[in-house]
Amino acid sequence: MSRTATMPTNGATDPISNATSDVKPYLSLDDRENDLGRGLNRESAKRLLAFLRPYRAQCAISLIAITLQTLGELALPRLLGIAIDQGIARQRTHTLLVAVGIFLGCVLFVFAARWTQGYTTTRIGNRVIFDLRYSLFRHIQILGFKTFDRMGVGRLISRVQNDVSVLQDLLTDGIIGLFADLLVLVGIIIAMLTINIELALLSYIVLPIMIVVVMIWRRFAIRVYRAVRAATSRLTGYSAENISGMRAIQSFRREQENFVRFERLNRNVYNETTHSIRLNSVLAPSVEMMSGMATVIVLIIGGNAVISGTLTIGALTAFIGYVARFFQPVRTLSDRYNTLQAATVAAERVFELLDEPPDITDAPDAITLPPIAGEIRFDHVTFGYGTTPVLRDIDLTIPPGTTVAFVGPTGAGKSSTINLVPRFYDVWDGRVLIDGYDVREVTLESLRSQFGIVLQDTFLFSATIKENIRFGRLGATDAEIEAAARAVGVHDFIAQLPEGYDAEVGERGSGLSVGQRQLIAFARVVLADPRIVVLDEATSSVDTQTELIIQEALRTVLRGRTSLVIAHRLSTIVEADMIVVIDGGRIVERGTHAELMTQQGQYHRLYTTALRHTNDGMATMAMLET
Amino acid sequence: MLDQHSVRYLVRRLLRHAWDTPLLAIGGVLSIFLSMGFSLLQPLLIRSLINNGIAAGQHRRLIEVSIAIMVVAALSAVTTYFRSVTTQWIGEKVGYDLRNRLFRHLEALSFSFYDASQTGQLLSRLTEDIRNIRRFYSPAFRVLLQTTVLVAGSAIIMFTLNWQLALLSLAIVPILFCVTLVFGTRVRPRYLRAQQQYGQAMNVLQENLAGMRLVRAFGRENFESAKFATAGMTYYHRQMEAAKLSVLANANMPMITGVGTAFVIGVGGLEVIHGQIQVGTLLAFYLYLTQLTDPIRQIGSIVNNVALALASTERIYEVLERRPRIVTPPDAYRPKEVRGHVIFDEVRFAYSRESREILRGVSINAPPGSVVALVGATGSGKSSIIQLLARFYDVRAGSVRVDGIDVRQWDLSTLRANVGFVLQETFLFSDSIHENIAYGRPTATREEVIAAAQAAQAHNFISRLPEGYDTLLGERGVNLSGGQKQRVAIARALLLNPRILILDDATSSVDMETEYEIQQALHILMEGRTTFIIAQRLSSVRTADQICVLDDGEIVERGTHAELLALGGTYRQIYDVQTQGTSPPSPLSVTRRGGTGSPRLPSPREGEGSGVRGADG
């Protein structure tokens, strides 16, 4: 999962945009199973219980209800026995009817208790799950980007989705179920003992055999189950990749070869599954056998006792009823154990995330950054993600209102540089100053509220266009939003959509072209009207017409603001007030386009190599003139 | 919902699949009947034990019947095991076969199919839908048959024992059926609604994480938390709406049986007192009642299982029954040698029958070894041209000929073996780098792969990777940068050694220095091959033998770079924009569609958009 950790080139530069990639969820093997078989953790259990605390009263209701339900259920076989012994055997019609009446009442009572219990438990479970997810979400909002780099977005999502779901199973089913099972087991044991001690003890003989069988079975089952999961997820991963890459497969005529591989994976799933089918089919009949054995023991011994008059026929009937129910909890207890273990692991993961300290926080004595002019100073900054620095001794002053273009090869440190200004990361050494304030000495809120940001991979939320632009300033009116859209030249496009500004844009802005997405992101910044703009220019190409509109919009966005731009467009670079060439984490050159061209240094080389192969000499001349 | 006719058709189809493994099918049905038979025997045995053994004081009889009970329990256990194994096995086998068939079929379907479908949707045919179908055999079919046998068997036995008591006991059966069906069909839609809401809540999370920088930069943490809370709370309420019903359903069933049991004991008890039946018989009734409840209780969810399975079957067959449109003709052309002479002759093309034409009479003559550059705005038809060349689609009118033979006469495999692609969005598989480069020629040796990588300027960065050419890409391995990916793709195309080469804006997503390296690699690749280049940037097309400027499906200008510059038309305008970024907008794109008069951004959905990402994405 930790893609970012292994990326050689653009390693930690943009942890976020790696997030929601295509086939990933299918490929990830659920690593939960590797942890099965670990012991229960008291610490996590305690913390989980703390989440139940607000719902104490409901928990109490639930427990009382389940106790009553179990008692009622256990009373039924006994009532049947009494009806037979007191009513039928003694030919007393009235007693029989009374016993039946009580039986009926008991059934209705169990119904009420079961309903109350079920409803309350589900409610508590869902409520606690909501609380947990919400806490996680809130916590994620303050976590540092370092954590994202390390954990990967996929894993974070899986914490909130899967791990919490496992806990939900525990809360709605596991704990209460466990309690009920134990209650039933103890209840039956007591009920049987009160009827006839000898017979009761005899029927318990089967129990140890049963427990051993279930335990051995469980060990096999976990292994086989894991194998099925692994095989299935490999097949799914392969299918996902092949479907999304079908065009490539057909282009390279790989149909036969890939089918052979698919078949192999498919057969593997088939084999593992049939194996698991044979195994999982063993348990139920075994329990049936045991239960049959116990019943027969009871029948022979009890039957003899009835014949010799030491046991009533009603008591025997009740006994048979209890034996039939006896094995159910033993069987489910092993399932509960699984749930419990899975939940323990899940709980640990959830709490681990909740405990993750945010690495970027307001200093205790942080002050509010007043409205700024927009001067940015890098004061001998050194910075890195892991152990080796990515930026070394960056020293740079950017006067208010100027546009700086960062240029350099991939991985040189351009993104890292601009990430430090809104304090997405903290420097290792040196300082980043805005209007003379160290970014670490002001509140994050007041710092970032003065920023506008446009990322390379333009991000839009699945919401309307209007809402997406309004993200820049929540209080903005519709008129202001339209004005912002006009300013960047995207209004005409939006206006001709059937639903105009209320048009929904899909996931990550699907339905819009790259260029349109960028323009909407620009509108967002214009609406926010920040003093500082951080912009990572998109590299993907757009057609000429759109290119023109974007170039114009960019000028609007950057005008009058301090702008840090990772530039890919020649026009942006050439028009910048200052070009900073970064290589190997150091600033190697700085100056205007004209200055750098005359220096004949790295910029000159970059510019000419790029251009020699991209444009005519004439074009280069044309550009130099602007 | 499905109508009755198609329900019958689909059920028959599923049953026929089960018949593919006759032994399993027969074994399954047989074991269901046997195991139910044994279950039905038990209460009768207990009745005999009580009436003839205990009540009659017959010790021997008691022992005999007890042994019989033990034997029947053992037989029942064995048949239960076989029942469980066979019915699940059938499902697994059907699933396995269907997956193979589906995958094969998906491989044969053409691009136009993929244009109209989503990856996730297709993937769910192979996963979710197959799972649903498996559940049709077990538990659905199994439980349905079991319940039928059990209800019918119990009814027959009970009636022979005592018809009054039988009527009374069986009275609860229809009630149970009704309740389970009513709840079963009402609970599910509610859970589906809850599930959808869950998806929405998780979508908020996903987007929040994906847009985290934006959230932080604009200080929208609280706004986002509130959004999540709303979505989560709605999910909670939906969940509770569903739970309300399902909890009630769960509590209902035992209650109905309980009430039924109470009546049977009461009435039966009276009959015993009046000497009409014996205690053992009453007990047998009690046991039959208990036995019936559980399977009937499952019917509700079983009905849903069946519905799901049928819907899934329909979805799967919808794909399977789609005939691949682009196939090799019977006596196909399979030349030993290909020269690479490509001719587009008055080609007209549209992505689907209804949609407007993307190409409207395009003619291009590309002699072997020449370079043709296609230039034009998004949606002008460039991508369509290259896709027609490898016959990923068929033309509507006119023809595409390679070496004088219509591509529709060619053996598909031979044709595509001679067309190499390096596309805008490079699709690499999560295999090793070696396997990715050798993708078009799986038999290539390591030396050949290295040679190709060297020529593609990729060898250096590959050998710096931890495991060199064996480094895994993707999920479990290393992620390459855009430029690196493209160089791997170039190596892949080189190794294929095609006569015809297609390059789609291959250098757009890299920085300048990388672009330079890639350009060099491309020059090596293009040598001696008929090449079609699509480029947004004119730089890469400057040296082409022939530049075709496309607008709205027609070639509006044609010539070399110098000729077209001198012409002063569309090409010149695009050129000026790219090199200076200041010239006025091209009149072509402004007035082309809609005629609003204002500059308008072409949407990717229009025209060739969906096909552009085409061959590699």
Side-chain angles (χ1 to χ4, degrees), chain A residues 3 16 138 141 143 241 247 250 253-254 256 263 266 270 281 288 304 410 419 448 462 471 613-614, chain B residues 59 76 84 89 96 99 104 107 109 207 210 213 216-217 222 413 430 439 479 511 516 539 614:
Chain A
R3 261 168 92 163
I16 304 304
R138 288 223 65 128
Q141 304 308 304
L143 280 180
E241 190 174 75
R247 292 160 201 266
Q250 293 188 359
R253 302 162 301 115
R254 285 277 295 213
Q256 186 53 38
E263 204 279 335
N266 191 10
Y270 174 72
S281 301
E288 202 181 327
N304 273 321
T410 312
N419 273 338
R448 290 181 183 163
S462 6
F471 195 80
H613 298 273
T614 51
Chain B
H59 285 277
S76 170
S84 166
W89 201 321
Y96 165 79
R99 273 196 301 257
R104 262 260 99 125
E107 285 187 328
L109 288 171
E207 291 201 328
R213 267 158 210 259
R216 298 288 169 88
N222 289 332
S413 188
S430 33
Y439 204 71
N479 247 55
D511 55 53
Y516 171 61
S539 51

Side-chain angles (χ1 to χ4, degrees), chain B residues 71 84 176 188 212 234 319 323 380 416 426 439 489-490 496 554:
Chain B
V71 172
S84 166
L176 284 177
R188 216 188 114 69
M212 189 52 88
T234 315
V319 174
R323 281 239 293 286
S380 59
R416 289 181 186 168
T426 310
Y439 204 71
I490 293 171
L496 197 62
E554 284 173 285

Side-chain angles (χ1 to χ4, degrees), chain A residues 31 37 39 83 89 97 126-127 157 165 172 211 277 305 345 385 404-405 424 456 542 544 580:
Chain A
D31 42 356
L97 291 182
N126 280 306
R127 204 39 230 248
I157 289 177
S165 291
T172 52
I211 290 173
I277 287 171
V345 177
Y385 299 97
V404 180
F424 286 153
Q456 187 175 45
V542 290
T544 315
V580 174

